[in-house]
């Protein structure tokens, strides 16, 4: 981006060459890969080992750029931040962290660049990649089914490195507002309440204040409703990367630079946001380690855990920075950078809707039993790092068996149809045959 005066984004070949040069002069860093794409490209990764042993178990932060390759600001910002750490421009504050840097995650999609992609986005003028991988799948909707080799590789890396925090760098369009970047935390109801409170009460306010001091306006991710009375976030389902981290008892942080501000400004905002999150994590490292250790403690049989949740209001009277048209009305699409220039700034007091309340729970059993014919599902569980055993001989057990009573399929989108399943549960004595898979709680 810098070499082209912010007209272009790096190709995969350029990223790989850059990273090779980077680690040659950075003793703390090693160039590796976490896997390969569907077309066989390397998912190049820089692992930066902690140089200051301030904790027995340092925080591990995985920073992801380019999961949607057309949203290339995070990739470029991460490359610049890594350079400034390697050359000493950023000092030594980061040396108590272990960093896993994956700047060009959807490497195949990055090579499918064109000037017609993301037409409302303000640059790069020489074109950008596409959203889906060559299978036509959105990588940021694949964190449960893990159908893509890219996300399988990433989930394996989360296990291998025991990542505590994932920072996922994106670019968003949506409704007209005056923020350079919006952010979010997991809404998944499995997220520890203590971690949620710390994220909302400590980390994100600190990062917001520091971004303001650096000249960037930020707020929670969301969009105005039609009347500009609500500011609403996205879903809690763990098919999203940051929600998946919440389900695992870890921290996921979403970064969304704003499509309608300049390409250079978006890169600078992505750089600054990543920097300030890391700085805040370093300063709170002992507290974060304690919170995460508590959050990932094993569940107990009989414990109620959430299965479903509905979007709920977080707060009233929140200030949201938006626009109005010349005649004083709220903006209507199509939205683009030209609309920002032609509209007048206006602040709105809105309801903030960015949390989810549990609507249904389930009591944890001693174990889950899965018939041998569903080995395909067991393969997915194991890829998520879940321990699965198998009975070598038949066993009598008291079970709760689920019977499906209703299936609802949503219209197809991105090669998937979201499925809603209703069940009834009946308790009985049952012989589990040899070969039955067992997941101990």
């Amino acid at each position: 981006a810098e070499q082209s005066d912010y007209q272009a984004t790096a190709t995969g070949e350029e990223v790989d060459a850059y990273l090779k040069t980077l680690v040659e002069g950075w003793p703390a860093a090693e160039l590796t890969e976490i896997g390969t794409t569907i077309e066989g490209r390397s998912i190049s990764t820089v692992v930066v080992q902690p140089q200051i042993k301030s904790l027995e178990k340092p925080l591990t932060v995985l920073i992801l750029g380019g999961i949607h390759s057309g949203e290339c600001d995070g990739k470029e910002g991460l490359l610049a931040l890594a350079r400034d750490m390697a050359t000493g421009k950023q000092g030594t504050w980061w040396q108590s962290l272990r960093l896993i840097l994956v700047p060009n995650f959807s490497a195949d999609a990055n090579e499918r660049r064109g000037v017609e992609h993301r037409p409302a986005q303000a640059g790069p003028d020489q074109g950008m990649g596409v959203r889906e991988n060559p299978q036509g799948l959105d990588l940021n909707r694949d964190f449960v089914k893990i159908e893509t080799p890219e996300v399988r590789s990433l989930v394996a890396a989360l296990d291998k490195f025991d990542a505590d925090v994932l920072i996922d760098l994106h670019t968003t369009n949506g409704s007209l507002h005056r923020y350079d970047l919006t952010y979010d935390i997991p809404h998944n109801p499995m997220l520890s309440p203590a971690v949620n409170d710390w994220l909302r009460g400590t980390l994100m306010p600190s990062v917001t204040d520091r971004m303001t001091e650096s000249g960037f306006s930020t707020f929670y991710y969301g969009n105005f409703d039609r009347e500009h009375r609500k500011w609403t976030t996205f879903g809690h389902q763990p098919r999203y990367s940051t929600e998946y981290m919440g389900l695992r008892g870890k921290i996921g942080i979403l970064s969304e630079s704003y499509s309608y501000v300049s390409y250079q400004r978006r890169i600078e905002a992505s750089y600054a946001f990543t920097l300030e999150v890391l700085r805040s994590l370093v300063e709170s490292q002992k507290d974060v380690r304690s919170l995460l250790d508590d959050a990932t403690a094993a569940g107990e049989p009989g414990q109620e855990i959430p299965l479903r949740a509905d979007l709920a209001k977080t707060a009233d009277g929140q200030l949201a920075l938006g626009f109005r048209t010349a005649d004083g009305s709220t903006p209507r699409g199509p939205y683009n950078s030209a609309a920002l220039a032609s509209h007048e700034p206006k602040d709105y007091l809105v309801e903030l809707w960015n949390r989810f309340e549990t609507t249904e729970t389930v009591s944890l059993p001693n174990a889950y039993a899965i018939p041998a014919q569903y080995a395909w599902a067991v393969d997915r569980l194991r890829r998520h790092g879940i321990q699965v055993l198998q009975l070598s001989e038949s066993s009598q057990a008291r079970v709760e068996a689920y019977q499906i009573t209703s299936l609802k399929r949503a219209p197809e989108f991105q090669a998937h149809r979201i499925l809603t399943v209703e069940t009834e549960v009946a308790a009985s004595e049952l012989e589990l045959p040899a070969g039955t898979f067992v997941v101990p709680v």
Side-chain angles (χ1 to χ4, degrees):
E2 292 171 352
Q3 285 184 337
S4 66
D5 193 24
Y6 298 96
Q7 301 300 304
T9 186
T11 65
E13 185 176 344
E14 289 168 337
V15 169
D16 291 347
Y18 180 94
L19 294 180
K20 183 178 179 181
T21 302
L22 183 79
V23 300
E24 286 173 353
W26 195 2
E30 174 191 4
L31 180 60
T32 183
E33 64 176 39
I34 59 169
T36 55
T37 66
I38 189 70
E39 292 184 338
R41 291 184 174 87
S42 172
I43 305 176
S44 297
T45 303
V46 174
V47 178
V48 185
Q49 297 294 350
Q51 305 299 293
I52 299 173
K53 310 297 183 180
S54 59
L55 284 176
E56 184 176 325
K57 185 182 179 185
L59 285 179
T60 296
V61 184
L62 194 153
I63 310 173
L64 192 66
I67 193 170
H68 295 149
S69 71
E71 304 168 20
C72 46
D73 323 329
K75 175 183 71 178
E76 299 290 345
L78 181 53
L79 293 174
L81 179 58
R83 174 200 59 202
D84 292 347
M85 289 179 172
T87 58
K89 184 177 179 180
Q90 277 297 336
T92 61
W93 57 266
W94 50 269
Q95 293 185 354
S96 63
L97 299 173
R98 180 166 62 163
L99 301 174
I100 317 297
L101 312 179
V102 189
N104 187 32
F105 180 52
S106 189
D108 295 340
N110 186 66
E111 299 311 296
R112 287 160 163 75
R113 63 189 61 222
V115 296
E116 72 280 5
H117 300 155
R118 295 179 67 80
Q121 183 169 292
D125 291 345
Q126 293 181 20
M128 63 216 79
V130 296
R131 184 180 183 90
E132 294 84 5
N133 82 339
Q135 295 167 277
L137 298 178
D138 185 331
L139 300 186
N140 199 31
R141 303 295 186 273
D142 192 35
F143 281 82
V144 172
K145 297 186 75 175
I146 46 178
E147 296 172 295
T148 64
E150 294 90 347
V151 178
R152 287 180 182 176
S153 298
L154 181 58
V155 167
L158 294 174
D159 277 331
K160 175 183 176 181
F161 295 108
D162 193 17
D164 301 296
V165 182
L166 169 69
I167 304 173
D168 192 0
L169 303 171
H170 289 253
T171 306
T172 190
N173 38 34
S175 53
L176 288 186
H177 59 67
R178 305 203 314 275
Y179 299 108
D180 297 306
L181 181 147
T182 52
Y183 53 75
D184 222 328
I185 62 173
H187 317 112
N188 191 280
M190 276 299 294
L191 180 69
S192 156
V195 173
N196 177 77
D197 291 346
W198 181 79
L199 290 171
R200 289 183 184 270
T202 300
L203 179 66
M204 300 323 301
S206 170
V207 171
T208 301
D209 290 344
R210 289 176 169 185
M211 290 290 283
T212 300
E213 292 170 5
S214 299
F216 296 101
S217 56
T218 59
F219 191 51
Y220 276 104
Y221 174 84
N223 285 290
F224 289 110
D225 68 348
R226 187 175 179 85
E227 291 76 27
H228 282 48
R229 295 172 184 168
K230 287 184 178 181
W231 183 267
T232 305
T233 191
F234 67 102
H236 70 279
Q237 294 85 356
R239 62 193 187 121
Y240 302 103
S241 65
T242 51
E243 302 301 324
Y244 177 70
M245 292 297 285
L247 181 69
R248 290 177 68 116
K250 304 290 191 175
I251 293 173
I253 298 175
L254 174 70
S255 168
E256 295 272 6
S257 56
Y258 193 42
S259 285
Y260 309 140
V261 301
S262 74
Y263 179 42
Q264 179 175 351
R265 181 73 172 175
R266 299 198 311 268
I267 293 172
E268 292 169 349
S270 299
Y271 177 116
F273 181 79
T274 306
L275 169 68
E276 298 305 347
V277 170
L278 293 176
R279 287 178 57 195
S280 294
L281 288 171
V282 167
E283 292 167 5
S284 304
Q285 190 163 180
K286 289 184 178 179
D287 291 338
V288 178
R289 168 54 58 216
S290 178
L291 284 168
L292 292 177
D293 286 347
D294 289 344
T296 53
E300 297 292 334
Q303 176 184 339
E304 293 292 318
I305 61 169
L307 275 186
R308 287 183 172 153
D310 284 342
L311 182 64
K313 183 166 65 175
T314 309
D316 286 308
Q318 296 291 295
L319 186 67
L321 307 183
F323 289 91
R324 64 182 176 189
T325 62
D327 63 6
S329 61
T330 56
R332 301 283 185 263
Y335 300 130
N336 50 44
S337 55
L340 266 66
S342 63
H343 293 347
E344 301 172 355
K346 181 179 179 180
D347 298 347
Y348 295 88
L349 287 178
V350 297
E351 297 176 353
L352 179 61
W353 288 67
N354 72 342
R355 67 185 183 90
F356 282 78
E357 290 183 346
T358 299
T359 57
E360 187 171 356
T361 64
V362 66
S363 179
L364 276 180
N366 288 289
Y368 290 92
I370 305 173
Q373 71 195 77
Y374 300 115
W376 64 268
V378 171
D379 173 69
R380 304 296 169 95
L381 293 177
R382 285 176 170 154
R383 288 181 181 274
H384 285 293
I386 296 169
Q387 183 188 34
V388 184
L389 310 177
Q390 196 167 16
L391 295 181
S392 58
E393 57 185 45
S394 63
S395 176
Q396 199 72 16
R398 180 163 178 80
V399 303
E400 287 185 339
Y402 292 82
Q403 181 167 344
I404 294 173
T405 59
S406 170
L407 293 175
K408 295 179 182 177
R409 292 181 174 86
E412 183 173 318
F413 180 67
Q414 293 180 337
H416 289 104
R417 294 164 64 90
I418 297 298
L419 185 67
T420 303
V421 183
E422 302 289 346
T423 66
E424 289 181 351
V425 182
S428 64
E429 291 285 336
L430 189 67
E431 181 174 304
L432 303 177
T436 299
F437 295 102
V438 176
V439 184
V441 167

